[in-house]
Amino acid sequence: MSGPDGGAAGGGPGEAGNGVPIVEIEDLKTYFPIRTGILRRLAGYVRAVDGVSFEIRRGEVFGLVGESGCGKTTLGRTLLRLQRPTGGVARLEGRNVLEFRGRDLRKMRRRMQIIFQDPVGSLNPRMPVSDIIGEGLLAQADVENRWGERKVRDKRVGDYLEEVGLRRDYARRYPHEFSGGQRQRIGIARALALDPEFIFADEPVSALDVSIQSQILNLLLDLRDRHDLTYLFVAHNLSVIQYISDRVGVMYLGKLVELSPVAELYANPRHPYTIALLSAVPDPDPRVRKKRIVLTGDVPSPAAPPPGCRFHTRCWLREQLGDPEECATIDPPFREIGGGHRVACHFAERIREEVSTAAVIGVEEPPGVPGGADPISQAS
Amino acid sequence: MAERTVAVTADLTPAELEQLLLERPDYEVQLESLNQWQLAWRRFRRHRLALAGAALFLALVAIAIIGPFFVHYDYYEIPHPDELVYAGRPPSWISGDWDPPLLMGETARLQRDILGLVVNGARLSLVIGVGATIISVVIGAVWGGVAGYFGGWLDSVMMRIVDSLLTLPILFLILVAGKFLGRGDWPSVMLIFGLFGWLGLSRLVRSLFLSLREEDFVDAARAVGVSDGRIILRHILPNTLSPIIVAATLSVAGVIIGEAFVSFLGFGVDITQPTWGNVLTSSLDFLQQGNWWWAFFPGFAIVLTVLGINFMGDGLRDALDPRARI
Ligand SMILES: Nc1ncnc2c1ncn2[C@@H]1O[C@H](COP(=O)(O)OP(=O)(O)OP(=O)(O)O)[C@@H](O)[C@H]1O
Ligand code: SF4
Ligand SMILES: [Mg+2]
């Protein structure tokens, strides 16, 4: 079903990322101006994405996690040209998509698609499903695909409804006639109908019933295999990320703090923030008593990120190390520590020495939780 | 994904629907598919007051169109006044005097038949009210839409212009503009109301556009390569329809009353052509004579129009909300 341009070089089903990057992001920045007063004077910037670099490999699911407001959505929207970038480069197979205009931009849109979190807000309530899915086809019509013809378009809409597990004749209906899970399938069909290679899935299951979530996740994995897709997959839920991802990036306050193959990240996290996030996930084995690491203090404002390491205002490792100066003054580089594992912390190597892994990931001894905070986890 | 569904006709009441769901909880209820206008019509039909309002408005339109063929009126055709009834005769059904039959009584002095004035005035009043509203809705929707959709400095400039126009005394402007456009003929009156009536609406439309353009479905359309123009027409505008309709119905009423008001100041439609406004205001000089009917009937026509349109607008707003229950 995958079109002619579907994936000639595609990483095959199951072989998670054959190493060839499809998307390369370099020092990407997206700032939102803050304007105040009647004159709308520029008062500063919200640095939603502030210098992010990584690559996504063809055929893989790249999971992205981080607290609310850390810039995950903005990163994806910038990549898809739904948000104006402030700086940096984002290459799709070598060509910088941030510079595309006109025809090139429209062609790029066929190759990069998006799936939204909110199954209600992402479908126009005043359009029948046939138009919701067919609209993209119409916009991308050319003499070759003949999507401009109603019949060709309707057939394809029907095909893709079936592809996502819905009935063809649902095309005549309006969004309010569907359940949340069905709506999400419609949104997936819309993205899929253009036969893209890359899909940014922004928390596609967070708004759904738990019973539906796994259906949709499995559908997405199936579709990846059938259509040679690559996903950038955002989720809050670390179990979901573990289930679906091949590699995972952890974001904090507009920056990537850790990136690693999924098994390595969950077994051997090296950034104090990642460790705190993971400590909040209950272990399936009830005998394992995990100690939550409670992050103290609020998330700093992305309009005024802390100097040095952005995490230093909440970092438990820094406290344990006795407030080393570089944390507050030098922004730790995002560096490779072996095995495709990258981390932005001056003291990543000290984690095993200073805190026993057992204590961190959880058997007995907790790390001395700084500040004696009450056990309300800030890590979600 | 096998799904068991049961088609339910949209004519089920919510209570019946609920009963059905209780009986067969494992079935997913699907409403019968109707297109948007069919759905809207169904919702509108259930709205009694809206139906009554629509009937009333349509009746007034019908009177405006065909009434003048039955009730003749010519300003220069002066009836033969009876010196003894200077204040004009009251309606026949009050006085009991059916010779001549007078449904709404007569004007003072010249003793014109008020029925003739009201019926012949309907045309211009409705045309001016509806016409000026269309003009202001189009300008306001485009202005506000462009400002809200594109945002940024363009939005700032466009809205500053609206703000400063809003600080001007509109009535005074209308009077001045009336002088330039040639006062007294109805197209310029309509134009003036249309050209000054869009300010509030443009603000409303702007704020709707500002929030709608952030919707995910707009992003989705952009992501598949739909053009800005088409996004505005197919995604944003349809979702602003309900509030625009409400504002428009209010505006029709406002213009009809406003025309009456400027007529009173002598800048409305020339007295040779009757409108409800100028008939009403010309009665005011003679009110001491006790001929209340001269003011009452054109005023009543205005009130009926305003009520009819407002009820209709209410119903339309509910009918056009796709998320409303059928
Ligand atoms: N259009 C906008 N204008 C101004 N600020 C914005 C805009 N969109 C996002 N932001 C800000 O940018 C930061 C990042 O937001 P973003 O939505 O990317 O976070 P996120 O990681 O997706 O969060 P969540 O998990 O809640 O979806 C936040 O501080 C947010 O307030
Ligand atoms: S650099 Fe310092 S503050 Fe930042 S994460 Fe590492 S230890 Fe914590
Ligand atoms: Mg988000």
Side-chain angles (χ1 to χ4, degrees), chain A residues 72-73 117 202-203 234:
Chain A
K72 307 179 294 292
T73 299
Q117 169 179 6
D202 192 2
E203 306 197 41
V234 172

Side-chain angles (χ1 to χ4, degrees), chain A residues 77 126 131 135 170 173, chain B residues 3 30 33 234-235 320:
Chain A
R77 292 185 72 241
R126 289 170 193 270
D131 285 0
E135 187 178 50
Y170 283 1
R173 298 190 176 176
Chain B
E3 247 165 46
Q30 301 284 353
S33 286
R234 293 277 282 139
H235 290 273
L320 290 178

Side-chain angles (χ1 to χ4, degrees), chain A residues 40 77 109 113-114 116 121-122 124-127 131 135-136 139-140 165 167 170 173-174 177 182 190, chain B residues 1 3 28 30-31 33-34 36 156 216-217 219-220 222-226 234-235 238-239 320 322-323:
Chain A
R40 296 176 36 86
R77 292 185 72 241
R109 298 209 178 282
Q113 274 303 308
I114 179 167
F116 296 89
S122 57
N124 185 342
R126 289 170 193 270
M127 272 194 180
D131 285 0
E135 187 178 50
Q140 299 285 352
R167 297 205 328 237
Y170 283 1
R173 298 190 176 176
Y174 285 82
E177 300 174 58
Q182 289 176 320
R190 165 175 58 198
Chain B
M1 191 187 65
E3 247 165 46
E28 191 166 343
Q30 301 284 353
L31 291 175
S33 286
L34 295 170
Q36 202 196 323
S156 302
D216 281 350
F217 62 77
D219 261 354
R222 225 174 264 147
V224 295
V226 179
R234 293 277 282 139
H235 290 273
N239 285 294
L320 290 178
R323 280 159 272 212

Side-chain angles (χ1 to χ4, degrees), chain A residues 115-269:
Chain A
I115 298 170
F116 296 89
Q117 169 179 6
D118 176 12
V120 178
S122 57
L123 306 180
N124 185 342
R126 289 170 193 270
M127 272 194 180
V129 170
S130 55
D131 285 0
I132 289 174
I133 300 176
E135 187 178 50
L137 298 174
L138 192 61
Q140 299 285 352
D142 57 37
V143 283
E144 210 174 302
N145 58 37
R146 308 204 347 253
W147 290 343
E149 295 167 37
R150 180 95 218 182
K151 268 174 100 174
V152 178
R153 204 160 66 235
D154 283 351
K155 162 132 191 348
R156 196 169 167 94
V157 168
D159 288 348
Y160 277 86
L161 279 173
E162 283 182 347
E163 186 70 9
V164 298
L166 296 173
R167 297 205 328 237
R168 299 186 84 84
D169 56 307
Y170 283 1
R172 288 183 297 126
R173 298 190 176 176
Y174 285 82
H176 72 268
E177 300 174 58
F178 295 95
S179 68
Q182 289 176 320
R183 284 165 185 247
Q184 205 59 327
R185 287 171 193 267
I186 293 168
I188 294 171
R190 165 175 58 198
L192 213 59
L194 296 182
D195 206 359
E197 296 154 68
F198 172 83
I199 292 183
F200 169 50
D202 192 2
E203 306 197 41
V205 297
S206 313
L208 302 179
D209 228 56
V210 179
S211 58
I212 316 264
Q213 288 192 358
S214 60
Q215 286 180 23
I216 299 290
L217 287 178
N218 288 329
L219 174 69
L220 288 171
L221 287 177
D222 274 2
L223 291 172
R224 169 181 66 162
D225 294 345
R226 283 209 293 270
H227 297 272
D228 299 325
L229 297 170
T230 303
Y231 292 122
L232 173 58
F233 190 103
V234 172
H236 267 127
N237 185 327
L238 287 161
S239 317
V240 167
I241 284 285
Q242 186 172 20
Y243 177 71
I244 199 165
S245 308
D246 299 309
R247 290 194 304 147
V248 181
V250 182
M251 256 182 110
Y252 183 77
L253 222 55
K255 272 184 176 287
L256 270 182
V257 294
E258 188 160 12
L259 186 160
S260 156
V262 62
E264 161 79 3
L265 186 88
Y266 280 72
N268 186 21

Side-chain angles (χ1 to χ4, degrees), chain B residues 257-269:
Chain B
I257 293 170
E259 194 271 326
F261 194 61
V262 293
S263 290
F264 179 64
L265 298 172
F267 290 89
V269 175

